[in-house]
Amino acid sequence: MQGVTISKFDKEKFGKTFCVLPWIHSFINLGGEHQVCCTGEEFSNYILDENNKRMNVLDNKSVDDVMNSQYMKDFRLKLLAGEFPNACTRCAVTEKNDGISRRCIENDQYSELVEDLIEETKEDGEIDPKIIHSDYRLGNICNLKCRMCNPRATKKWIKDYSILSEDVLPQEFLSKIDSYKKSPWLDSEILTDDFRKKLPTMTRLHFGGGEPLYNPKMLEMLRISIEMGHAHKLTISYNTNLTILNNEILDLWKQFKSVKLLISIDGFGELNDYIRPPSKWGVIDKNLKFLDTHHADYNIEEIIVSTTVQINNVLHLDKLFNYLCDFSFVERCPNLIALYFPQQLSLITLPKPLTILAKFKIDSILEKIKKQDGVQEYMIQNLRQIRESLKIRESQDPKLFKKFVKFSREYDNANGLDLLSVNPEFEKFIS
């Protein structure tokens, strides 16, 4: 079938919706599911087979079966026709609020491929798939249980699901709690074979979690890359909480082309430990300062702090910005990502007077950043987007804040924590 060309599509629409990832990207999520990308996982972007069933690693499907499923062919055609699929909601909202989305970043990264990818796409959306970028979320093996997380991403949350009230927990996880105790796909040879088959065309390999630096399967994949002679051409990247950093991992990194680290830190000092227990700020601070000094020894190309902005930290982002100013190699501006779910922890839950205070503090951060050199524009745009999302909503539901308070009390009681010790601003609203 004859391929499509750029001229067949409205270029203005094409520029507004096209994303390179559905052509070159493989994303395997926490339960072994094939999904379009991690950015859209909150909006049900599971790749479906001909029976409308979610594709999984254990199905032992080929790269062609997954990438040229009817779901993916239709997905690509929507993007080429100027339409955002529902799975792309996060990028669409980010761009609507003048932020720089992952779609924009990836298109820029692979700009030299775009024209050929479109021209080689058949009229029904079929492609000749070559996986250039793979993303593996290797199950729910993690050493933390962040309060905005769930048992699908960390086994440490399983116990709390039997302690906390059901009405403060995301309902979709309650009925599946037993399934999160085991990860048969993670130990399957099918996963290893899938990785080996994708490796020859790969130039980027990303690991998320759980916590990948705590995961033995991640180490196995690094060793396979080295044994097959592909490590030298691979840039590997991580989402990591940086509570773990050992010599075995550091020595393996030396054999790869480069390493990029997205460090999940959601607050300065005690606040980060409150949001992400049982992390210890002293350990994270020590590891981050070590990498700031020794990055060249381990082929580390980039270190960015990634912050999930939520009701618990939006009033204290300035402290994290101030902390990062003292680093030389680590990016001095964190990459801010607005939390959408669970909703009681999102920014729409914040009481109106505190919303005004948060906007004032973000304006102060923006003024300070303007005087700094070398801050990436998309990070500044993401800060502006957070400010935009703090617009006061007259229809704000007060029940959400009550749910937040109830959740915080129960979670804190179970983990020996105290909301007002890190957010004293909430006291009069709770009382």
Side-chain angles (χ1 to χ4, degrees), residues 201-213:
T201 58
M202 237 187 270
T203 60
R204 288 174 64 189
L205 172 60
H206 183 77
F207 294 107
E211 171 49 49
L213 300 187

Side-chain angles (χ1 to χ4, degrees), residues 8 18 54 57 128 138 146 154 179 324 332 350 355 403:
K8 285 192 176 184
F18 176 81
R54 294 174 180 179
V57 166
D128 178 16
L138 298 173
C146 305
T154 172
S179 68
L324 292 176
R332 289 174 293 170
L350 200 65
T355 298
K403 188 174 181 179

Side-chain angles (χ1 to χ4, degrees), residues 136-347:
Y136 289 90
R137 306 298 164 111
L138 298 173
N140 60 353
I141 298 172
C142 189
N143 60 332
L144 302 184
K145 53 171 178 178
C146 305
R147 61 183 55 237
M148 60 284 188
C149 202
N150 57 72
R152 184 169 183 258
T154 172
K155 290 182 179 180
K156 287 185 174 293
W157 247 106
I158 293 175
K159 181 180 177 182
D160 283 42
Y161 259 62
S162 64
I163 298 173
L164 275 61
S165 301
E166 289 190 6
D167 63 337
V168 300
L169 296 171
Q171 298 300 303
E172 63 266 31
F173 303 115
L174 285 167
S175 61
K176 302 176 184 177
I177 199 71
D178 288 338
S179 68
Y180 301 133
K181 296 176 182 178
K182 296 180 181 179
S183 302
W185 71 276
L186 196 58
D187 301 318
S188 169
E189 282 300 315
I190 297 174
L191 173 62
T192 307
D193 291 343
D194 174 86
F195 178 69
R196 289 179 181 275
K197 289 172 184 175
K198 292 172 181 173
L199 194 54
T201 58
M202 237 187 270
T203 60
R204 288 174 64 189
L205 172 60
H206 183 77
F207 294 107
E211 171 49 49
L213 300 187
Y214 186 66
N215 196 315
K217 180 61 72 171
M218 184 278 298
L219 288 171
E220 180 186 346
M221 288 178 159
L222 293 191
R223 294 190 187 101
I224 289 172
S225 303
I226 294 168
E227 291 165 6
M228 290 182 64
H230 292 292
H232 69 283
K233 70 170 188 175
L234 271 178
T235 293
I236 51 175
S237 57
Y238 296 86
N239 288 107
T240 173
N241 57 46
L242 206 63
T243 58
I244 297 164
L245 192 65
N246 60 50
N247 290 332
E248 182 179 15
I249 294 170
L250 292 171
D251 287 341
L252 287 173
W253 285 351
K254 294 177 182 178
Q255 302 186 58
F256 286 80
K257 179 181 178 181
S258 62
V259 178
K260 295 184 177 183
L261 300 175
L262 291 167
I263 314 297
S264 298
I265 297 177
D266 290 332
F268 173 75
E270 183 186 357
L271 178 59
N272 186 73
D273 294 346
Y274 174 80
I275 295 172
R276 309 176 65 85
S279 67
K280 301 298 180 186
W281 178 255
V283 174
I284 297 167
D285 178 56
K286 178 183 176 182
N287 288 341
L288 193 59
K289 288 175 177 175
F290 173 84
L291 293 177
D292 191 60
T293 304
H294 299 283
H295 58 91
D297 298 334
Y298 306 108
N299 291 335
I300 298 174
E301 177 184 349
E302 183 178 65
I303 301 175
I304 296 174
V305 169
S306 181
T307 302
T308 302
V309 183
Q310 55 185 280
I311 187 172
N312 279 302
N313 63 8
V314 70
L315 296 172
H316 304 285
L317 294 175
D318 52 335
K319 297 172 187 174
L320 184 58
F321 275 81
N322 292 338
Y323 167 71
L324 292 176
C325 284
D326 293 332
F327 288 86
S328 57
F329 182 77
V330 176
E331 289 282 348
R332 289 174 293 170
C333 181
N335 181 36
L336 303 180
I337 304 166
L339 177 76
Y340 284 73
F341 306 105
Q343 199 174 41
Q344 73 260 25
L345 297 181
S346 70
L347 296 179

Side-chain angles (χ1 to χ4, degrees), residues 14-32:
F14 160 79
K16 289 180 179 178
T17 60
F18 176 81
C19 177
V20 71
L21 292 182
W23 276 259
I24 66 169
H25 179 58
S26 168
F27 173 47
I28 295 177
N29 210 349
L30 296 159

Side-chain angles (χ1 to χ4, degrees), residues 344-408:
Q344 73 260 25
L345 297 181
S346 70
L347 296 179
I348 66 170
T349 307
L350 200 65
K352 291 178 184 177
L354 295 182
T355 298
I356 296 170
L357 176 60
K359 288 168 69 175
F360 173 78
K361 289 196 169 189
I362 289 176
D363 286 341
S364 298
I365 295 171
L366 283 167
E367 285 300 315
K368 186 174 182 179
I369 285 179
K370 288 178 184 176
K371 301 174 184 177
Q372 294 182 0
D373 296 325
V375 177
Q376 297 189 49
E377 179 61 27
Y378 82 90
M379 292 185 174
I380 298 175
Q381 289 283 32
N382 287 345
L383 183 58
R384 290 181 180 136
Q385 183 201 352
I386 296 297
R387 190 192 187 285
E388 183 70 16
S389 65
L390 283 167
K391 282 183 176 178
I392 295 176
R393 295 163 177 81
E394 294 302 327
S395 59
Q396 192 173 38
D397 186 357
K399 292 180 182 178
L400 270 180
F401 186 72
K402 291 180 180 179
K403 188 174 181 179
F404 160 73
V405 173
K406 183 177 180 181
F407 167 78
S408 298

